[in-house]
Amino acid sequence: MSTPALRVLLCASEIFPLAKTGGLADASAALAAALERLRVDVHLFMPAYASAIDQIVDLGPPQALPEIMGHAGGLVLTGKTPDSGVPVSLVDYPHLFRDGGGLYVDADGQERHDNPQRFAVMSHAACRFALGELNHARFDLVHCNDWHTGLLPLLLKTRSTPGSPASVFTIHNMAFQGLCPMDRLPELDLGLANDQLGRVEYYGHASFLKAGLEFADELTAVSPRYADEIQTEEFGFGLEGVMQARSDRLTGILNGIDRSIWSPSVSPWIAANFDRDHLEGKAACKRQLQRELGLVENPKAPLMIFIGRLTWQKMADVLLEALPHYLALEPDRQFALLGSGDPVLEDAFVRLASEQAGRMWVSTVYSEESAHRLHAGGDLLIHGSRFEPCGLTQLYAMQFGTIPIVRPVGGLADTVVEASPETLAAGTATGIYFAETDTEAMLAGINRAISLYRCPQVWQRLQQSAMQADFSWDRSARAYLSIYERALARIGVHGHGNR
Ligand code: ADP
Ligand code: GLC
């Protein structure tokens, strides 16, 4: 008789297309689909946001949750994701997860003051679900992602009985820690012993992220470089000591991309489909994009794009300072930005665009469709990051033959090959690096990229090697599978059907 497939509960605060604010949603959805292809019995778990309830399919009967942290009337709704058909359960407390605001902000755009409580409730519900307490078979392993799920490894340990699931915690971003005042810890109902408090405490607060890092059986970060970086003061956000102490449990695994969504040969939203051997379609996309965005219709004009959150992490402040110089240097240079975030930066970018008619376009809305069109029609992607755990935008850009200009940190260093004389000659270059976080360094990187852009033969080669870079999820999913096996071995379980 064959061994049953490994049962994994993958818990995240956002999963595409049910809910998304950033790369976590893409990564969790695509990993689940790739694990299914490896015959892992994977089940997703997330909050029942309104967008998730609207999109879930094959909904079964709801399961009632017992009262959690004083919140009564909770339900777990189980169905499938609309695209990949992966089983998914949504924890439903209307007053916590669908009260008209965003995923983490209220209806006025302010960060929700009760985020720790909301995600503590989600973690309690996930723990009960994983332990098989809701009329559902128990899971072998729980895969947690970012601070929202940080309490889950701890809850699994404090409630552990023989046969309890192992846990893996993936760090997508160390900057977001989920902090709550220590004196509010009792309401989270964690069952922590006094001598365990230090494993949760972070400078006078309880840190959900630290709890995840301390209690999970295995840890992963979303790129090998980031796994090293977070053990240093510069990138550890005060948790570098914890990371050093647990470095034997930490592995870097690169995110992949879902090519059934992010590929110029299949994208339904672009003016013409294309691939690395037929770049004419990209020229058509650029023409259409320039027209649509009100930019001067010039096929030779370098069109630089930015897609992402307007935050300190993404060096949006430095980009704002660099842009007037970028535009002033040559009259045909163009720029398009799709992103939202810091309201002061949003306003400043919008104002600058209004002074640069025909040369600059800015949108602060969130639009998957526009993201595809910008990737398809752009020439260069500016992706400065003060830190970057992995970064998906540069991977998407490369697939669409748009050359990334990056600061080589974290996943940017692991995924973009700098255009040096050697790599250009060898045909392996895929992007341009700049080292520092100041405006001059960013501009120097951009200018170097534009000088390559002005040499069509060199540029086309660069585009073709960027487009053939392989970031398949299947390879990463296999790496996760071996971490799952290590985590299971840590709790004494050996040999599974997916070996
Ligand atoms: P992060 O998760 O740090 O924001 P990633 O590069 O991993 O960075 O992922 C960002 C994701 O969010 C990409 O899928 C990108 O296309 C998307 N994104 C960010 N801002 C927008 C926007 N305004 N409209 C559409 N997609 C966006
Ligand atoms: C985070 C990181 C980003 C990464 C994404 C998915 O939001 O900032 O670098 O690509 O998670 O793992």
Side-chain angles (χ1 to χ4, degrees):
M1 218 176 76
S2 65
T3 332
L6 184 65
R7 278 174 57 70
V8 174
L9 186 69
L10 198 156
C11 187
S13 65
E14 45 185 277
I15 296 167
F16 184 83
L18 301 176
K20 171 171 170 180
T21 68
L24 172 61
D26 289 1
S28 47
L31 172 59
L35 286 168
E36 262 207 341
R37 289 195 289 275
L38 296 178
R39 294 187 218 299
V40 174
D41 186 355
V42 62
H43 192 116
L44 293 160
F45 197 94
M46 68 181 288
Y49 306 116
S51 62
I53 292 189
D54 287 349
Q55 295 181 76
I56 190 173
V57 298
D58 295 348
L59 204 59
Q63 293 163 292
L65 281 162
E67 186 170 303
I68 291 177
M69 289 167 47
H71 297 269
L75 296 175
V76 170
L77 312 173
T78 298
K80 290 193 169 155
T81 57
D83 47 358
S84 51
V86 176
V88 56
S89 289
L90 311 177
V91 51
D92 189 26
Y93 286 90
H95 66 289
L96 293 179
F97 299 119
R98 44 194 174 100
D99 61 353
L103 271 50
Y104 316 115
V105 296
D106 62 22
D108 297 326
Q110 301 299 314
E111 180 159 341
R112 294 174 186 273
H113 64 88
D114 62 345
N115 270 335
Q117 285 74 17
R118 296 167 75 225
F119 289 105
V121 169
M122 176 184 83
S123 297
H124 273 284
C127 178
R128 289 173 185 279
F129 194 76
L131 291 173
E133 291 175 11
L134 298 183
N135 232 347
H136 204 285
R138 86 171 34 204
F139 285 82
D140 299 309
L141 183 136
V142 181
H143 184 168
C144 310
N145 295 275
D146 269 356
W147 76 264
H148 322 90
T149 58
L151 298 181
L152 195 39
L154 180 167
L155 289 169
L156 289 166
K157 286 272 180 283
T158 54
R159 309 214 157 174
S160 139
T161 52
S164 282
S167 60
V168 171
F169 184 86
T170 294
I171 305 153
H172 295 262
N173 200 324
M174 282 291 260
F176 302 115
Q177 305 202 345
L179 297 181
C180 133
M182 259 328 240
D183 58 9
R184 299 199 61 178
L185 206 52
E187 33 178 290
L188 304 183
D189 205 6
L190 301 178
L192 272 178
N194 274 345
D195 63 353
Q196 290 177 314
L197 289 177
R199 297 173 71 187
V200 172
E201 195 267 343
Y202 175 85
Y203 298 106
H205 280 73
S207 160
F208 285 26
L209 177 63
K210 183 172 173 186
L213 302 177
E214 284 279 351
F215 285 89
D217 296 308
E218 285 288 329
L219 303 172
T220 71
V222 288
S223 68
R225 175 75 66 109
Y226 194 58
D228 290 341
E229 287 173 346
I230 53 182
Q231 298 177 48
T232 67
E233 201 182 330
E234 185 183 356
F235 296 100
F237 286 93
L239 290 170
E240 56 275 11
V242 178
M243 298 318 304
Q244 289 160 15
R246 301 210 78 205
S247 60
D248 60 325
R249 306 267 176 144
L250 172 64
T251 309
I253 302 177
L254 264 186
N255 286 331
I257 60 177
D258 185 340
R259 295 200 74 244
S260 69
I261 300 173
W262 292 99
S263 159
S265 50
V266 301
S267 174
W269 287 317
I270 61 180
N273 289 114
F274 60 94
D275 59 40
R276 63 187 290 269
D277 299 317
H278 305 92
L279 281 167
E280 320 78 65
K282 187 164 173 72
C285 290
K286 179 170 177 179
R287 196 161 49 241
Q288 169 73 19
L289 187 67
Q290 286 175 323
R291 186 167 310 156
E292 218 175 270
L293 307 187
L295 302 173
V296 174
E297 284 178 46
N298 173 359
K300 293 203 167 141
L303 171 50
M304 183 168 82
I305 62 168
F306 173 96
I307 301 172
R309 294 179 287 118
L310 297 178
T311 59
W312 184 84
Q313 175 186 343
K314 306 287 178 184
M315 282 173 64
D317 51 329
V318 180
L319 176 62
L320 178 66
E321 256 182 53
L323 273 180
H325 303 284
Y326 160 78
L327 291 167
L329 215 59
E330 289 166 320
D332 64 344
R333 293 184 177 197
Q334 302 183 346
F335 178 66
L337 177 146
L338 176 67
S340 55
D342 179 342
V344 175
L345 288 171
E346 284 185 9
D347 286 351
F349 279 112
V350 169
R351 207 169 329 114
L352 186 61
S354 69
E355 294 159 7
Q356 296 284 347
R359 300 190 62 196
M360 178 168 164
W361 174 90
V362 165
S363 169
T364 57
V365 305
Y366 191 94
S367 160
E368 289 284 318
E369 186 173 334
S370 300
H372 280 242
R373 290 153 99 90
L374 258 65
H375 280 303
D379 297 305
L380 314 114
L381 172 89
I382 179 71
H383 199 313
S385 289
R386 287 191 167 90
F387 64 93
E388 195 58 64
C390 178
L392 294 172
T393 308
Q394 82 281 7
L395 303 182
Y396 298 153
M398 286 192 265
Q399 285 298 306
F400 283 82
T402 297
I403 300 303
I405 307 164
V406 305
R407 198 165 158 253
V409 286
L412 296 172
D414 283 342
T415 58
V416 177
V417 179
E418 153 80 328
S420 65
E422 296 74 30
T423 57
L424 280 170
T428 54
T430 59
I432 285 91
Y433 284 4
F434 64 95
E436 306 299 331
T437 53
D438 55 274
T439 317
E440 291 69 32
M442 183 184 273
L443 275 169
I446 295 173
N447 290 340
R448 200 155 64 80
I450 290 190
S451 63
L452 293 174
Y453 171 80
R454 305 269 188 210
C455 309
Q457 273 176 336
V458 176
W459 193 252
Q460 191 170 333
R461 209 142 168 241
L462 200 52
Q463 285 180 305
Q464 284 171 330
S465 48
M467 290 177 82
Q468 76 178 9
D470 174 22
F471 298 106
S472 91
W473 261 112
D474 293 336
R475 189 173 40 192
S476 304
R478 269 192 290 278
Y480 276 106
L481 197 49
S482 63
I483 298 302
Y484 294 165
E485 275 161 8
R486 262 173 44 187
L488 286 163
R490 300 259 185 214
I491 61 161
V493 179
H494 296 273
H496 248 283
N498 296 91
R499 190 175 272 283

